[in-house]
Amino acid sequence: MKIAIHGRNFNESARPFIENMFDELARRKVEVQLSKSFRTFLDQAGISHYSELVYEKPEELFDPRLIVSMGGDGTLLETISHVGKRQTPAIGINVGRLGFLATVSPERITDMIAALENSQFRIDERTLVEVESNIDLFDGLNFGLNDFTITKTDTSSMITVHTYLNEEFLNSYWADGLIVSTPTGSTGYSLSCGGPVLMPHSQNFIVTPISPHNLNVRPLVVEDTAVIRLEVKSRSSNFLVSLDARSRIVDENTQLLVRKAGFVARLIKMKDDSFLNTLRSKLSWGLDMRN
């Protein structure tokens, strides 16, 4: 079996589980390729690993059966950007915090490796959002698993986002920004701004305003077949665009089209991994907080 691994720094408490993972992979003679940034962190932390194969750019990935993300949900989003159109299955080990996407605990790494080797898992295909523009916004990585966001810069006042749905005018949002979220991203930034939670395979996007000036403006669920065109006006003549963990400041002449990507993210889920269980656990649903 050939796998790739990407990760970030993690708490010292996770060290024995990470070391055990490399010991288990070596025992099973699994061929491993590490991202350069993760390899650097492991070396600096003094964590031994046996792999000499490294990739720095997505095109340098070898042909892994799957890719492992070690961190939180943010690390998994980065990992999906490394995979892109290859659609290599990805699994997240949660050595971060909340973990709606990275759901494998460090204590279960050995069980995870055995399940992967014996094909005891399922593939969960998730919609990606894609952004088209008149400039290269994100170094060719114009897709995201969670959301595309427009926000004002730190020094600017409220912005205006003129929004069109399939070229029909929808609304002018006077707000701090606007989020276009996938069902996967519905438990992220959109949720904190009052957006609904969608089941992962809902064929929809959520258009969620951020701190709108008009209180009668609410999040809107639209079909994911829709093409969303955005025109932004700002007193500072610029604004911030973000696609998952990637962001940059652009001027108001930037043209933006948001639509569903032509490929998907393929997440590996263990057989006992349920979205509803994760939802209840992370949001404390069904618990009486008074007791």
Side-chain angles (χ1 to χ4, degrees):
M1 186 167 65
K2 296 166 63 175
I3 69 170
I5 304 176
H6 172 60
R8 294 180 182 172
N9 56 341
F10 42 77
N11 294 330
E12 186 64 23
S13 59
R15 174 185 288 267
F17 300 107
I18 307 306
E19 292 176 337
N20 181 63
M21 179 189 71
F22 283 109
D23 290 342
E24 187 68 17
L25 291 173
R27 187 181 71 80
R28 295 174 182 267
K29 296 182 171 55
V30 176
E31 189 175 359
V32 175
Q33 184 183 35
L34 302 174
S35 68
K36 184 177 180 180
S37 60
F38 190 48
R39 165 71 181 271
T40 300
F41 167 74
L42 292 174
D43 290 343
Q44 291 175 345
I47 296 177
S48 60
H49 56 84
Y50 63 91
S51 176
E52 298 298 327
L53 299 175
V54 176
Y55 75 92
E56 185 172 9
K57 300 177 181 179
E59 56 268 24
E60 295 173 353
L61 262 174
F62 64 2
D63 187 26
R65 180 182 175 189
L66 57 98
I67 186 165
V68 175
S69 165
M70 304 206 66
D73 285 356
T75 309
L76 185 56
L77 295 178
E78 282 185 355
T79 302
I80 294 299
S81 73
H82 296 178
V83 170
K85 293 182 179 180
R86 292 177 180 226
Q87 301 185 120
T88 304
I91 188 167
I93 298 173
N94 186 10
V95 291
R97 284 172 289 185
L98 193 56
F100 276 98
L101 298 173
T103 54
V104 178
S105 64
E107 295 84 356
R108 298 191 60 196
I109 288 177
T110 300
D111 294 337
M112 179 200 75
I113 294 173
L116 293 175
E117 196 169 52
N118 296 314
S119 298
Q120 295 174 339
F121 59 86
R122 58 185 172 84
I123 299 292
D124 192 7
E125 295 190 348
R126 300 290 183 91
T127 296
L128 297 168
V129 63
E130 180 179 275
V131 180
E132 294 182 10
S133 177
N134 56 324
I135 61 175
D136 183 4
L137 294 175
F138 304 106
D139 297 325
L141 299 176
N142 66 330
F143 58 91
L145 177 58
N146 262 9
D147 47 47
F148 172 68
T149 303
I150 293 171
T151 52
K152 67 174 188 174
T153 56
D154 291 339
T155 57
S156 68
S157 59
M158 187 171 49
I159 59 177
T160 304
V161 185
H162 302 298
T163 306
Y164 298 81
L165 201 63
N166 296 326
E167 289 305 318
E168 181 179 354
F169 177 66
L170 171 62
N171 192 18
S172 291
Y173 293 94
W174 292 279
D176 284 354
L178 192 71
I179 306 166
V180 179
S181 169
T182 66
T184 299
S186 71
T187 54
Y189 195 8
S190 176
L191 180 64
S192 70
C193 293
V197 175
L198 297 185
M199 295 298 290
H201 303 112
S202 303
Q203 297 177 333
N204 300 104
F205 288 138
I206 310 168
V207 180
T208 306
I210 304 170
S211 301
H213 180 68
N214 298 326
L215 296 181
N216 60 338
V217 175
R218 289 291 181 261
L220 177 68
V221 177
V222 303
E223 301 92 339
D224 66 8
T225 55
V227 178
I228 303 169
R229 182 163 63 88
L230 305 167
E231 296 177 359
V232 183
K233 298 299 179 183
S234 168
R235 289 182 185 177
S236 62
S237 299
N238 60 34
F239 57 96
L240 183 73
V241 292
S242 303
L243 188 58
D244 285 351
R246 307 178 295 281
S247 63
R248 63 174 289 186
I249 295 175
V250 297
D251 63 53
E252 61 180 15
N253 295 317
T254 305
Q255 301 171 17
L256 298 167
L257 280 180
V258 183
R259 55 162 52 104
K260 181 170 70 172
F263 54 98
V264 298
R266 305 178 72 216
L267 304 183
I268 294 174
K269 298 293 183 180
M270 298 293 99
K271 289 188 174 181
D272 59 351
D273 187 349
S274 162
F275 175 74
L276 295 182
N277 286 340
T278 301
L279 204 59
R280 287 194 301 271
S281 172
K282 303 305 178 183
L283 299 183
S284 299
W285 285 2
L287 296 180
D288 186 349
M289 304 305 291
R290 298 168 297 180
N291 298 310

PDB file of all heavy atoms in Angstrom, residues 198-228:
ATOM      1  N   LEU A 198     -26.710  21.705   6.799  1.00  0.00           N
ATOM      2  CA  LEU A 198     -27.211  20.846   5.735  1.00  0.00           C
ATOM      3  C   LEU A 198     -26.613  19.454   5.866  1.00  0.00           C
ATOM      4  O   LEU A 198     -25.459  19.301   6.285  1.00  0.00           O
ATOM      5  CB  LEU A 198     -26.849  21.408   4.350  1.00  0.00           C
ATOM      6  CG  LEU A 198     -27.422  22.767   3.948  1.00  0.00           C
ATOM      7  CD1 LEU A 198     -27.041  23.075   2.502  1.00  0.00           C
ATOM      8  CD2 LEU A 198     -28.927  22.816   4.123  1.00  0.00           C
ATOM      9  N   MET A 199     -27.383  18.452   5.510  1.00  0.00           N
ATOM     10  CA  MET A 199     -26.820  17.107   5.412  1.00  0.00           C
ATOM     11  C   MET A 199     -25.753  17.094   4.319  1.00  0.00           C
ATOM     12  O   MET A 199     -25.891  17.786   3.294  1.00  0.00           O
ATOM     13  CB  MET A 199     -27.923  16.097   5.115  1.00  0.00           C
ATOM     14  CG  MET A 199     -28.953  15.954   6.233  1.00  0.00           C
ATOM     15  SD  MET A 199     -28.220  15.345   7.769  1.00  0.00           S
ATOM     16  CE  MET A 199     -27.831  13.644   7.318  1.00  0.00           C
ATOM     17  N   PRO A 200     -24.680  16.332   4.485  1.00  0.00           N
ATOM     18  CA  PRO A 200     -23.520  16.428   3.589  1.00  0.00           C
ATOM     19  C   PRO A 200     -23.818  16.214   2.110  1.00  0.00           C
ATOM     20  O   PRO A 200     -23.119  16.762   1.260  1.00  0.00           O
ATOM     21  CB  PRO A 200     -22.586  15.328   4.115  1.00  0.00           C
ATOM     22  CG  PRO A 200     -22.968  15.169   5.545  1.00  0.00           C
ATOM     23  CD  PRO A 200     -24.445  15.401   5.598  1.00  0.00           C
ATOM     24  N   HIS A 201     -24.845  15.425   1.788  1.00  0.00           N
ATOM     25  CA  HIS A 201     -25.098  15.124   0.386  1.00  0.00           C
ATOM     26  C   HIS A 201     -26.270  15.915  -0.186  1.00  0.00           C
ATOM     27  O   HIS A 201     -26.779  15.590  -1.256  1.00  0.00           O
ATOM     28  CB  HIS A 201     -25.311  13.618   0.202  1.00  0.00           C
ATOM     29  CG  HIS A 201     -24.146  12.805   0.696  1.00  0.00           C
ATOM     30  ND1 HIS A 201     -24.228  11.980   1.797  1.00  0.00           N
ATOM     31  CD2 HIS A 201     -22.862  12.744   0.279  1.00  0.00           C
ATOM     32  CE1 HIS A 201     -23.049  11.428   2.015  1.00  0.00           C
ATOM     33  NE2 HIS A 201     -22.201  11.875   1.111  1.00  0.00           N
ATOM     34  N   SER A 202     -26.690  16.962   0.527  1.00  0.00           N
ATOM     35  CA  SER A 202     -27.693  17.872  -0.022  1.00  0.00           C
ATOM     36  C   SER A 202     -27.115  18.559  -1.254  1.00  0.00           C
ATOM     37  O   SER A 202     -25.960  18.987  -1.252  1.00  0.00           O
ATOM     38  CB  SER A 202     -28.077  18.930   1.015  1.00  0.00           C
ATOM     39  OG  SER A 202     -28.556  18.333   2.192  1.00  0.00           O
ATOM     40  N   GLN A 203     -27.883  18.680  -2.279  1.00  0.00           N
ATOM     41  CA  GLN A 203     -27.397  19.271  -3.537  1.00  0.00           C
ATOM     42  C   GLN A 203     -27.692  20.771  -3.531  1.00  0.00           C
ATOM     43  O   GLN A 203     -28.463  21.279  -4.359  1.00  0.00           O
ATOM     44  CB  GLN A 203     -28.033  18.562  -4.721  1.00  0.00           C
ATOM     45  CG  GLN A 203     -27.651  17.090  -4.790  1.00  0.00           C
ATOM     46  CD  GLN A 203     -28.331  16.353  -5.925  1.00  0.00           C
ATOM     47  OE1 GLN A 203     -29.416  16.704  -6.376  1.00  0.00           O
ATOM     48  NE2 GLN A 203     -27.677  15.311  -6.412  1.00  0.00           N
ATOM     49  N   ASN A 204     -27.053  21.457  -2.579  1.00  0.00           N
ATOM     50  CA  ASN A 204     -27.325  22.874  -2.391  1.00  0.00           C
ATOM     51  C   ASN A 204     -26.069  23.651  -2.014  1.00  0.00           C
ATOM     52  O   ASN A 204     -25.082  23.065  -1.584  1.00  0.00           O
ATOM     53  CB  ASN A 204     -28.355  23.084  -1.268  1.00  0.00           C
ATOM     54  CG  ASN A 204     -29.687  22.424  -1.532  1.00  0.00           C
ATOM     55  OD1 ASN A 204     -29.992  21.383  -0.962  1.00  0.00           O
ATOM     56  ND2 ASN A 204     -30.486  23.017  -2.392  1.00  0.00           N
ATOM     57  N   PHE A 205     -26.156  24.970  -2.180  1.00  0.00           N
ATOM     58  CA  PHE A 205     -25.221  25.905  -1.583  1.00  0.00           C
ATOM     59  C   PHE A 205     -26.006  26.788  -0.613  1.00  0.00           C
ATOM     60  O   PHE A 205     -27.223  26.930  -0.734  1.00  0.00           O
ATOM     61  CB  PHE A 205     -24.555  26.793  -2.636  1.00  0.00           C
ATOM     62  CG  PHE A 205     -23.544  26.097  -3.490  1.00  0.00           C
ATOM     63  CD1 PHE A 205     -23.491  26.330  -4.855  1.00  0.00           C
ATOM     64  CD2 PHE A 205     -22.627  25.214  -2.942  1.00  0.00           C
ATOM     65  CE1 PHE A 205     -22.558  25.700  -5.655  1.00  0.00           C
ATOM     66  CE2 PHE A 205     -21.686  24.562  -3.725  1.00  0.00           C
ATOM     67  CZ  PHE A 205     -21.647  24.815  -5.085  1.00  0.00           C
ATOM     68  N   ILE A 206     -25.304  27.402   0.334  1.00  0.00           N
ATOM     69  CA  ILE A 206     -25.906  28.376   1.227  1.00  0.00           C
ATOM     70  C   ILE A 206     -25.262  29.729   0.971  1.00  0.00           C
ATOM     71  O   ILE A 206     -24.028  29.838   0.962  1.00  0.00           O
ATOM     72  CB  ILE A 206     -25.696  28.000   2.707  1.00  0.00           C
ATOM     73  CG1 ILE A 206     -26.086  26.550   2.980  1.00  0.00           C
ATOM     74  CG2 ILE A 206     -26.509  28.936   3.611  1.00  0.00           C
ATOM     75  CD1 ILE A 206     -25.621  26.056   4.341  1.00  0.00           C
ATOM     76  N   VAL A 207     -26.072  30.750   0.741  1.00  0.00           N
ATOM     77  CA  VAL A 207     -25.591  32.123   0.610  1.00  0.00           C
ATOM     78  C   VAL A 207     -25.882  32.820   1.939  1.00  0.00           C
ATOM     79  O   VAL A 207     -27.041  33.070   2.275  1.00  0.00           O
ATOM     80  CB  VAL A 207     -26.278  32.853  -0.559  1.00  0.00           C
ATOM     81  CG1 VAL A 207     -25.750  34.278  -0.666  1.00  0.00           C
ATOM     82  CG2 VAL A 207     -26.057  32.100  -1.871  1.00  0.00           C
ATOM     83  N   THR A 208     -24.830  33.104   2.707  1.00  0.00           N
ATOM     84  CA  THR A 208     -24.989  33.632   4.060  1.00  0.00           C
ATOM     85  C   THR A 208     -24.328  34.996   4.200  1.00  0.00           C
ATOM     86  O   THR A 208     -23.106  35.113   4.016  1.00  0.00           O
ATOM     87  CB  THR A 208     -24.354  32.676   5.096  1.00  0.00           C
ATOM     88  OG1 THR A 208     -24.881  31.354   4.930  1.00  0.00           O
ATOM     89  CG2 THR A 208     -24.623  33.151   6.506  1.00  0.00           C
ATOM     90  N   PRO A 209     -25.096  36.048   4.515  1.00  0.00           N
ATOM     91  CA  PRO A 209     -24.486  37.361   4.761  1.00  0.00           C
ATOM     92  C   PRO A 209     -23.792  37.395   6.116  1.00  0.00           C
ATOM     93  O   PRO A 209     -24.206  36.730   7.071  1.00  0.00           O
ATOM     94  CB  PRO A 209     -25.688  38.309   4.721  1.00  0.00           C
ATOM     95  CG  PRO A 209     -26.854  37.465   5.129  1.00  0.00           C
ATOM     96  CD  PRO A 209     -26.559  36.070   4.630  1.00  0.00           C
ATOM     97  N   ILE A 210     -22.723  38.188   6.200  1.00  0.00           N
ATOM     98  CA  ILE A 210     -21.978  38.359   7.442  1.00  0.00           C
ATOM     99  C   ILE A 210     -22.325  39.728   8.022  1.00  0.00           C
ATOM    100  O   ILE A 210     -22.030  40.757   7.409  1.00  0.00           O
ATOM    101  CB  ILE A 210     -20.459  38.257   7.204  1.00  0.00           C
ATOM    102  CG1 ILE A 210     -20.091  36.930   6.534  1.00  0.00           C
ATOM    103  CG2 ILE A 210     -19.690  38.418   8.517  1.00  0.00           C
ATOM    104  CD1 ILE A 210     -18.651  36.873   6.045  1.00  0.00           C
ATOM    105  N   SER A 211     -22.959  39.741   9.174  1.00  0.00           N
ATOM    106  CA  SER A 211     -23.357  40.986   9.838  1.00  0.00           C
ATOM    107  C   SER A 211     -24.034  41.956   8.865  1.00  0.00           C
ATOM    108  O   SER A 211     -23.547  43.065   8.628  1.00  0.00           O
ATOM    109  CB  SER A 211     -22.138  41.665  10.477  1.00  0.00           C
ATOM    110  OG  SER A 211     -21.524  40.835  11.422  1.00  0.00           O
ATOM    111  N   PRO A 212     -25.174  41.572   8.290  1.00  0.00           N
ATOM    112  CA  PRO A 212     -25.851  42.443   7.318  1.00  0.00           C
ATOM    113  C   PRO A 212     -26.403  43.704   7.977  1.00  0.00           C
ATOM    114  O   PRO A 212     -26.816  43.686   9.144  1.00  0.00           O
ATOM    115  CB  PRO A 212     -26.974  41.562   6.777  1.00  0.00           C
ATOM    116  CG  PRO A 212     -27.256  40.589   7.876  1.00  0.00           C
ATOM    117  CD  PRO A 212     -25.928  40.322   8.525  1.00  0.00           C
ATOM    118  N   HIS A 213     -26.423  44.799   7.195  1.00  0.00           N
ATOM    119  CA  HIS A 213     -26.959  46.068   7.695  1.00  0.00           C
ATOM    120  C   HIS A 213     -28.472  45.976   7.881  1.00  0.00           C
ATOM    121  O   HIS A 213     -29.020  46.556   8.825  1.00  0.00           O
ATOM    122  CB  HIS A 213     -26.613  47.189   6.708  1.00  0.00           C
ATOM    123  CG  HIS A 213     -27.113  48.539   7.112  1.00  0.00           C
ATOM    124  ND1 HIS A 213     -26.623  49.227   8.202  1.00  0.00           N
ATOM    125  CD2 HIS A 213     -28.068  49.330   6.573  1.00  0.00           C
ATOM    126  CE1 HIS A 213     -27.243  50.384   8.309  1.00  0.00           C
ATOM    127  NE2 HIS A 213     -28.130  50.484   7.348  1.00  0.00           N
ATOM    128  N   ASN A 214     -29.134  45.254   6.978  1.00  0.00           N
ATOM    129  CA  ASN A 214     -30.588  45.081   7.060  1.00  0.00           C
ATOM    130  C   ASN A 214     -30.910  43.777   7.780  1.00  0.00           C
ATOM    131  O   ASN A 214     -30.527  42.694   7.324  1.00  0.00           O
ATOM    132  CB  ASN A 214     -31.208  45.068   5.659  1.00  0.00           C
ATOM    133  CG  ASN A 214     -30.987  46.381   4.932  1.00  0.00           C
ATOM    134  OD1 ASN A 214     -30.977  47.435   5.555  1.00  0.00           O
ATOM    135  ND2 ASN A 214     -30.801  46.316   3.617  1.00  0.00           N
ATOM    136  N   LEU A 215     -31.628  43.841   8.871  1.00  0.00           N
ATOM    137  CA  LEU A 215     -31.882  42.660   9.684  1.00  0.00           C
ATOM    138  C   LEU A 215     -32.869  41.693   9.035  1.00  0.00           C
ATOM    139  O   LEU A 215     -33.007  40.556   9.480  1.00  0.00           O
ATOM    140  CB  LEU A 215     -32.398  43.076  11.063  1.00  0.00           C
ATOM    141  CG  LEU A 215     -31.402  43.882  11.920  1.00  0.00           C
ATOM    142  CD1 LEU A 215     -32.017  44.208  13.264  1.00  0.00           C
ATOM    143  CD2 LEU A 215     -30.096  43.126  12.096  1.00  0.00           C
ATOM    144  N   ASN A 216     -33.592  42.151   7.991  1.00  0.00           N
ATOM    145  CA  ASN A 216     -34.520  41.249   7.310  1.00  0.00           C
ATOM    146  C   ASN A 216     -33.820  40.367   6.283  1.00  0.00           C
ATOM    147  O   ASN A 216     -34.444  39.529   5.645  1.00  0.00           O
ATOM    148  CB  ASN A 216     -35.648  42.040   6.635  1.00  0.00           C
ATOM    149  CG  ASN A 216     -35.115  43.029   5.601  1.00  0.00           C
ATOM    150  OD1 ASN A 216     -33.958  43.422   5.662  1.00  0.00           O
ATOM    151  ND2 ASN A 216     -35.965  43.421   4.668  1.00  0.00           N
ATOM    152  N   VAL A 217     -32.515  40.528   6.118  1.00  0.00           N
ATOM    153  CA  VAL A 217     -31.742  39.692   5.190  1.00  0.00           C
ATOM    154  C   VAL A 217     -31.302  38.432   5.924  1.00  0.00           C
ATOM    155  O   VAL A 217     -30.711  38.512   6.998  1.00  0.00           O
ATOM    156  CB  VAL A 217     -30.518  40.455   4.647  1.00  0.00           C
ATOM    157  CG1 VAL A 217     -29.652  39.537   3.792  1.00  0.00           C
ATOM    158  CG2 VAL A 217     -30.967  41.663   3.845  1.00  0.00           C
ATOM    159  N   ARG A 218     -31.593  37.293   5.336  1.00  0.00           N
ATOM    160  CA  ARG A 218     -31.307  36.016   5.988  1.00  0.00           C
ATOM    161  C   ARG A 218     -30.550  35.077   5.027  1.00  0.00           C
ATOM    162  O   ARG A 218     -30.576  35.265   3.814  1.00  0.00           O
ATOM    163  CB  ARG A 218     -32.616  35.346   6.424  1.00  0.00           C
ATOM    164  CG  ARG A 218     -33.305  36.058   7.605  1.00  0.00           C
ATOM    165  CD  ARG A 218     -32.475  35.866   8.860  1.00  0.00           C
ATOM    166  NE  ARG A 218     -33.082  36.511  10.032  1.00  0.00           N
ATOM    167  CZ  ARG A 218     -32.724  37.681  10.511  1.00  0.00           C
ATOM    168  NH1 ARG A 218     -31.787  38.384   9.888  1.00  0.00           N
ATOM    169  NH2 ARG A 218     -33.276  38.171  11.608  1.00  0.00           N
ATOM    170  N   PRO A 219     -29.892  34.045   5.564  1.00  0.00           N
ATOM    171  CA  PRO A 219     -29.237  33.050   4.704  1.00  0.00           C
ATOM    172  C   PRO A 219     -30.235  32.412   3.743  1.00  0.00           C
ATOM    173  O   PRO A 219     -31.411  32.235   4.079  1.00  0.00           O
ATOM    174  CB  PRO A 219     -28.689  32.023   5.695  1.00  0.00           C
ATOM    175  CG  PRO A 219     -28.535  32.788   6.971  1.00  0.00           C
ATOM    176  CD  PRO A 219     -29.662  33.778   6.995  1.00  0.00           C
ATOM    177  N   LEU A 220     -29.754  32.071   2.547  1.00  0.00           N
ATOM    178  CA  LEU A 220     -30.603  31.503   1.496  1.00  0.00           C
ATOM    179  C   LEU A 220     -29.983  30.208   0.993  1.00  0.00           C
ATOM    180  O   LEU A 220     -28.784  30.158   0.676  1.00  0.00           O
ATOM    181  CB  LEU A 220     -30.749  32.501   0.347  1.00  0.00           C
ATOM    182  CG  LEU A 220     -31.552  32.049  -0.875  1.00  0.00           C
ATOM    183  CD1 LEU A 220     -33.031  31.892  -0.504  1.00  0.00           C
ATOM    184  CD2 LEU A 220     -31.395  33.041  -2.017  1.00  0.00           C
ATOM    185  N   VAL A 221     -30.786  29.158   0.914  1.00  0.00           N
ATOM    186  CA  VAL A 221     -30.338  27.879   0.354  1.00  0.00           C
ATOM    187  C   VAL A 221     -30.719  27.844  -1.118  1.00  0.00           C
ATOM    188  O   VAL A 221     -31.884  28.063  -1.474  1.00  0.00           O
ATOM    189  CB  VAL A 221     -30.979  26.694   1.097  1.00  0.00           C
ATOM    190  CG1 VAL A 221     -30.557  25.371   0.464  1.00  0.00           C
ATOM    191  CG2 VAL A 221     -30.594  26.713   2.567  1.00  0.00           C
ATOM    192  N   VAL A 222     -29.732  27.584  -1.994  1.00  0.00           N
ATOM    193  CA  VAL A 222     -29.976  27.542  -3.439  1.00  0.00           C
ATOM    194  C   VAL A 222     -29.474  26.222  -4.001  1.00  0.00           C
ATOM    195  O   VAL A 222     -28.665  25.518  -3.372  1.00  0.00           O
ATOM    196  CB  VAL A 222     -29.282  28.717  -4.162  1.00  0.00           C
ATOM    197  CG1 VAL A 222     -29.758  30.057  -3.591  1.00  0.00           C
ATOM    198  CG2 VAL A 222     -27.764  28.611  -4.072  1.00  0.00           C
ATOM    199  N   GLU A 223     -29.931  25.868  -5.204  1.00  0.00           N
ATOM    200  CA  GLU A 223     -29.463  24.639  -5.841  1.00  0.00           C
ATOM    201  C   GLU A 223     -27.977  24.760  -6.186  1.00  0.00           C
ATOM    202  O   GLU A 223     -27.503  25.836  -6.554  1.00  0.00           O
ATOM    203  CB  GLU A 223     -30.253  24.370  -7.131  1.00  0.00           C
ATOM    204  CG  GLU A 223     -31.744  24.236  -6.936  1.00  0.00           C
ATOM    205  CD  GLU A 223     -32.484  25.553  -7.107  1.00  0.00           C
ATOM    206  OE1 GLU A 223     -31.824  26.615  -6.986  1.00  0.00           O
ATOM    207  OE2 GLU A 223     -33.698  25.528  -7.342  1.00  0.00           O
ATOM    208  N   ASP A 224     -27.249  23.645  -6.080  1.00  0.00           N
ATOM    209  CA  ASP A 224     -25.824  23.711  -6.403  1.00  0.00           C
ATOM    210  C   ASP A 224     -25.556  23.702  -7.903  1.00  0.00           C
ATOM    211  O   ASP A 224     -24.404  23.751  -8.338  1.00  0.00           O
ATOM    212  CB  ASP A 224     -25.038  22.604  -5.696  1.00  0.00           C
ATOM    213  CG  ASP A 224     -25.402  21.198  -6.172  1.00  0.00           C
ATOM    214  OD1 ASP A 224     -26.153  21.056  -7.153  1.00  0.00           O
ATOM    215  OD2 ASP A 224     -24.937  20.232  -5.539  1.00  0.00           O
ATOM    216  N   THR A 225     -26.625  23.662  -8.705  1.00  0.00           N
ATOM    217  CA  THR A 225     -26.468  23.829 -10.156  1.00  0.00           C
ATOM    218  C   THR A 225     -26.422  25.306 -10.531  1.00  0.00           C
ATOM    219  O   THR A 225     -26.148  25.642 -11.691  1.00  0.00           O
ATOM    220  CB  THR A 225     -27.626  23.152 -10.909  1.00  0.00           C
ATOM    221  OG1 THR A 225     -28.873  23.669 -10.412  1.00  0.00           O
ATOM    222  CG2 THR A 225     -27.600  21.641 -10.705  1.00  0.00           C
ATOM    223  N   ALA A 226     -26.705  26.181  -9.583  1.00  0.00           N
ATOM    224  CA  ALA A 226     -26.748  27.615  -9.863  1.00  0.00           C
ATOM    225  C   ALA A 226     -25.342  28.181 -10.043  1.00  0.00           C
ATOM    226  O   ALA A 226     -24.372  27.712  -9.441  1.00  0.00           O
ATOM    227  CB  ALA A 226     -27.461  28.343  -8.725  1.00  0.00           C
ATOM    228  N   VAL A 227     -25.254  29.203 -10.895  1.00  0.00           N
ATOM    229  CA  VAL A 227     -24.024  29.982 -11.038  1.00  0.00           C
ATOM    230  C   VAL A 227     -24.254  31.322 -10.347  1.00  0.00           C
ATOM    231  O   VAL A 227     -25.205  32.035 -10.657  1.00  0.00           O
ATOM    232  CB  VAL A 227     -23.666  30.201 -12.522  1.00  0.00           C
ATOM    233  CG1 VAL A 227     -22.410  31.067 -12.631  1.00  0.00           C
ATOM    234  CG2 VAL A 227     -23.445  28.864 -13.217  1.00  0.00           C
ATOM    235  N   ILE A 228     -23.394  31.645  -9.400  1.00  0.00           N
ATOM    236  CA  ILE A 228     -23.555  32.843  -8.581  1.00  0.00           C
ATOM    237  C   ILE A 228     -22.501  33.874  -8.999  1.00  0.00           C
ATOM    238  O   ILE A 228     -21.299  33.616  -8.903  1.00  0.00           O
ATOM    239  CB  ILE A 228     -23.407  32.499  -7.088  1.00  0.00           C
ATOM    240  CG1 ILE A 228     -24.423  31.422  -6.686  1.00  0.00           C
ATOM    241  CG2 ILE A 228     -23.581  33.754  -6.224  1.00  0.00           C
ATOM    242  CD1 ILE A 228     -24.170  30.828  -5.311  1.00  0.00           C
TER     243      ILE A 228
END
